[in-house]
């Protein structure tokens, strides 16, 4: 791409001049992208000018250099965490979001038990996908609104902290994301990369692993798009000096046994206790795999087999559970959840059972439909300001590939009132497809990048 406005490089360019360059297919220079992001943050670009620029980027495209410059400018629109007083490799996992996607709650304490520090900034659920912060808040007292100082102290004390994004982290992204949402410019890979990586790079990491979901419950549903997103995220991370890798993983069906907030925490504490529930095996497998990748990147394990062995041993000997207990106490939560995770399960909920109409094999258990059903009964939010009912959820009693008989229970919805079940029963019934033949086996981890 040519820069059609480079003669203006050393002059102050007006927003419309910078927009013109991108509108006409030119390549923006670092200074021009910097001026755009400065204008987003200081209010000197009007929303209509920012929106026009986003649309020009969306339609004309961004080169790899522009994508990385945009990421850098968005990153430095806020603070980069300084964890230099913690003398351990700093690592994190980020998922592009899915249904029943709860691995953070296993991975963070597990990594801490393996001797790395995890400054995990997480988000809330929106749409059909859940969010780590909502899940954590189902533990009585758990505080996810840590100040930067509290966050740093907790990472230093117990090896990991999990908190929401403060206003100081990549503030440009908040404004840009809201305008992308309103102008139909979200689904463009370089903009997604800049948005995700500007926030992750602010954690001051040595290594990062990305879990890029693919399938109906994923943000990027098509496999090729998911791979392209994973490749772009990895390149941007590595270009920024953070050892970055990605796994593209299956999100056709929910991950694990439960979908919901408290029930997902319950599932994770059971895993940390070495009491993995039937249907949770994929949660355990993916948590260990993502952890192991980071242990190799951080130089803690010599190869992936040794890393898996180390991670499994820290689950079996209870050290990961103890890290979670320490963290709960430090983040204000009732740490007895580690001894009796059943305390998370609400009494008196209505149960609605989805059953199989025929004999056969489960060929589909559509993640998006199940995620949407949980949102509709109050377990998620459609608008950022909605409240979440932490208790409600769904239990996946049968997973893709399982053999079932007519009348067998495929899943159980836990809701507040029978009318809630009526609103989603058809959606849940339609989420399943039962075939006479078993489906071809599909890997949980589809590609490593
Ligand atoms: N998640 C983000 O944080 N940003 C995007 O643009 C898309 C998903």
């Amino acid at each position: 791409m040519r820069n059609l406005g480079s003669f203006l490089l050393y002059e102050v360019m007006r927003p419309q001049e910078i927009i013109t360059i991108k509108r006409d297919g030119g390549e923006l220079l670092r200074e021009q992208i910097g001026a755009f992001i400065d204008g987003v943050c200081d209010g000197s670009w009007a929303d209509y000018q920012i929106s026009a620029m986003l649309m020009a980027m969306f339609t004309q495209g961004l080169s790899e250099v522009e994508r990385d410059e945009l990421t850098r400018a968005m990153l430095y629109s806020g603070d980069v965490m300084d964890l230099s007083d913690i003398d351990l490799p700093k690592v994190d996992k980020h998922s592009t979001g899915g249904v029943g996607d709860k691995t953070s709650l296993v991975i963070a304490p597990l990594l801490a038990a393996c001797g790395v520090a995890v400054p995990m900034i997480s988000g809330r659920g929106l749409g059909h996908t859940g969010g780590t912060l909502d899940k954590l808040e189902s533990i009585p007292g758990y505080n996810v609104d840590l100040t930067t100082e509290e966050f740093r102290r907790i990472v230093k004390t117990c090896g990991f902290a999990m908190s929401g994004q403060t206003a100081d982290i990549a503030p440009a992204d908040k404004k840009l994301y809201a305008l992308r949402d309103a102008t139909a410019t979200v689904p463009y890979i370089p903009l997604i990369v800049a948005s995700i990586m500007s926030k992750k790079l602010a954690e001051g990491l040595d290594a990062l692993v990305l879990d890029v979901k693919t399938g109906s419950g994923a943000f990027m549903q098509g496999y090729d798009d998911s791979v392209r997103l994973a490749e772009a995220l990895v390149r941007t991370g590595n270009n920024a000096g953070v050892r970055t890798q990605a796994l593209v993983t299956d999100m056709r069906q929910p991950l694990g046994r439960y979908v919901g907030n408290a029930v997902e925490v319950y599932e994770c504490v059971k895993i940390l206790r070495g009491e993995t529930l039937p249907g949770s095996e994929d949660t355990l497998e993916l948590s260990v795999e993502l952890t192991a990748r980071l242990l190799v990147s951080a130089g803690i394990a010599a190869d992936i087999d040794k890393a898996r062995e180390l991670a499994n041993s820290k689950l079996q000997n209870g050290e990961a559970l103890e890290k979670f207990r320490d963290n709960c106490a430090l983040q204000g939560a009732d740490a007895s959840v580690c001894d009796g995770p059943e305390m998370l399960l609400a009494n008196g909920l209505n149960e609605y059972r989805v059953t199989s109409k025929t004999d056969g094999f489960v060929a589909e258990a559509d993640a998006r439909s199940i995620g949407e059903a949980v949102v509709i009964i109050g377990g998620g939010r459609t608008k950022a300001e909605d409240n979440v009912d932490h208790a409600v959820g769904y239990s996946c009693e049968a997973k893709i590939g399982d053999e079932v008989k007519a009348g067998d229970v495929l899943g159980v919805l836990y809701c507040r009132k029978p009318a809630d079940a009526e609103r989603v029963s058809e959606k849940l019934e339609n989420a399943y497809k039962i075939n006479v033949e078993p489906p071809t086996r599909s890997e949980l981890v589809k590609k490593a990048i």
Side-chain angles (χ1 to χ4, degrees):
M1 273 186 252
R2 290 168 303 137
N3 181 274
L4 305 174
S6 55
F7 62 94
L8 287 167
L9 180 57
Y10 298 108
E11 295 173 23
V12 177
M13 293 181 75
R14 293 183 303 152
Q16 48 271 55
E17 290 164 337
I18 302 178
I19 296 166
T20 302
I21 296 169
K22 186 42 67 186
R23 183 202 65 193
D24 293 348
E27 182 165 20
L28 296 169
L29 301 171
R30 166 184 279 212
E31 291 77 2
Q32 293 156 350
I33 292 174
F36 168 51
I37 294 302
D38 286 348
V40 169
C41 294
D42 66 18
S44 60
W45 281 49
D47 284 3
Y48 49 80
Q49 292 171 317
I50 301 169
S51 301
M53 176 60 110
L54 289 169
M55 188 55 83
M57 289 176 164
F58 187 97
T59 54
Q60 292 290 356
L62 290 175
S63 68
E64 181 167 334
V65 173
E66 287 177 299
R67 179 193 73 207
D68 290 354
E69 287 298 347
L70 182 63
T71 307
R72 207 185 64 86
M74 287 169 66
L75 164 66
Y76 290 111
S77 70
D79 293 345
V80 176
M81 230 177 266
D82 177 10
L83 299 173
S84 53
D85 59 330
I86 301 174
D87 198 18
L88 295 173
K90 285 107 200 153
V91 306
D92 195 11
K93 183 264 333 180
H94 176 80
S95 160
T96 56
V99 178
D101 180 19
K102 54 189 79 77
T103 60
S104 292
L105 278 72
V106 176
I107 290 173
L110 182 52
L111 282 165
C114 294
V116 293
V118 191
M120 193 177 267
I121 304 274
S122 301
R124 297 201 176 269
L126 191 62
H128 69 283
T129 63
T132 301
L133 301 182
D134 298 319
K135 292 170 202 183
L136 288 168
E137 281 180 341
S138 45
I139 308 175
Y142 202 103
N143 176 18
V144 296
D145 290 319
L146 302 176
T147 63
T148 307
E149 220 19 74
E150 287 167 335
F151 186 79
R152 197 200 315 269
R153 180 176 56 78
I154 294 172
V155 175
K156 195 167 180 178
T157 311
C158 81
F160 77 99
M162 293 191 278
S163 183
Q165 190 181 336
T166 65
D168 308 331
I169 294 188
D173 179 61
K174 194 164 184 205
K175 174 94 190 178
L176 286 179
Y177 194 85
L179 289 174
R180 284 167 62 208
D181 200 27
T183 57
T185 50
V186 170
Y188 177 53
I189 286 178
L191 293 179
I192 297 169
V193 169
S195 168
I196 292 176
M197 295 305 283
S198 61
K199 289 173 286 196
K200 282 289 124 183
L201 296 175
E203 292 176 353
L205 302 173
D206 298 301
L208 173 67
V209 68
L210 296 142
D211 179 6
V212 178
K213 303 289 186 190
T214 190
S216 80
F219 176 68
M220 282 276 161
Q221 295 182 42
Y223 178 71
D224 290 345
D225 284 341
S226 303
V227 170
R228 270 197 288 277
L229 174 60
E231 286 170 347
L233 288 164
V234 167
R235 286 182 71 84
T236 296
N238 284 318
N239 290 345
V242 176
R243 290 189 292 282
T244 307
Q245 56 191 313
L247 299 182
V248 178
T249 71
D250 189 36
M251 189 33 72
R252 288 172 306 155
Q253 64 179 334
L255 185 73
R257 165 116 181 200
Y258 288 110
V259 181
N261 292 293
V263 284
E264 290 191 35
V265 181
Y266 170 70
E267 178 174 347
C268 292
V269 179
K270 292 296 272 181
I271 289 174
L272 291 170
R273 288 175 57 80
E275 297 165 356
T276 302
L277 298 161
S280 294
E281 296 85 356
D282 53 358
T283 306
L284 172 61
E285 181 189 336
L286 187 54
S287 300
V288 168
E289 196 56 34
L290 290 162
T291 299
R293 302 266 162 183
L294 281 171
L295 293 177
V296 176
S297 280
I300 298 287
D303 60 47
I304 191 73
D305 289 332
K306 290 200 173 65
R308 288 187 192 116
E309 233 172 78
L310 177 64
N312 279 314
S313 75
K314 298 291 180 185
L315 281 171
Q316 277 152 20
N317 70 12
E319 285 183 40
L321 180 70
E322 289 316 304
K323 285 289 179 190
F324 192 63
R325 186 192 301 280
D326 294 346
N327 172 269
C328 282
L330 288 162
Q331 296 205 208
D334 182 352
S336 70
V337 69
C338 295
D339 303 310
E342 290 70 22
M343 70 185 261
L344 295 166
L345 304 179
N347 293 318
L349 293 174
N350 274 276
E351 294 180 18
Y352 172 81
R353 283 163 216 289
V354 182
T355 54
S356 179
K357 308 278 176 294
T358 56
D359 295 356
F361 293 86
V362 179
E364 272 177 32
D366 184 63
R368 185 166 291 254
S369 304
I370 294 171
E372 285 171 355
V374 171
V375 172
I376 291 168
I377 62 166
R381 52 171 78 74
T382 45
K383 297 189 296 307
E385 56 276 17
D386 289 347
N387 286 323
V388 161
D389 184 340
H390 292 97
V392 300
Y394 187 77
S395 172
C396 305
E397 304 284 317
K399 308 270 295 187
I400 292 177
D402 286 355
E403 186 170 9
V404 291
K405 299 260 175 273
D408 281 357
V409 177
L410 300 172
V412 182
L413 183 78
Y414 297 94
C415 55
R416 291 285 172 188
K417 7 183 229 309
D420 291 338
E422 277 163 32
R423 289 165 70 203
V424 297
S425 58
E426 196 178 334
K427 188 184 268 296
L428 287 172
E429 307 282 344
N430 291 340
Y432 290 91
K433 198 160 150 203
I434 309 296
N435 284 351
V436 178
E437 296 296 328
T440 49
R441 204 177 129 65
S442 171
E443 297 300 325
L444 177 59
V445 176
K446 294 176 166 296
K447 195 175 175 76
I449 292 160

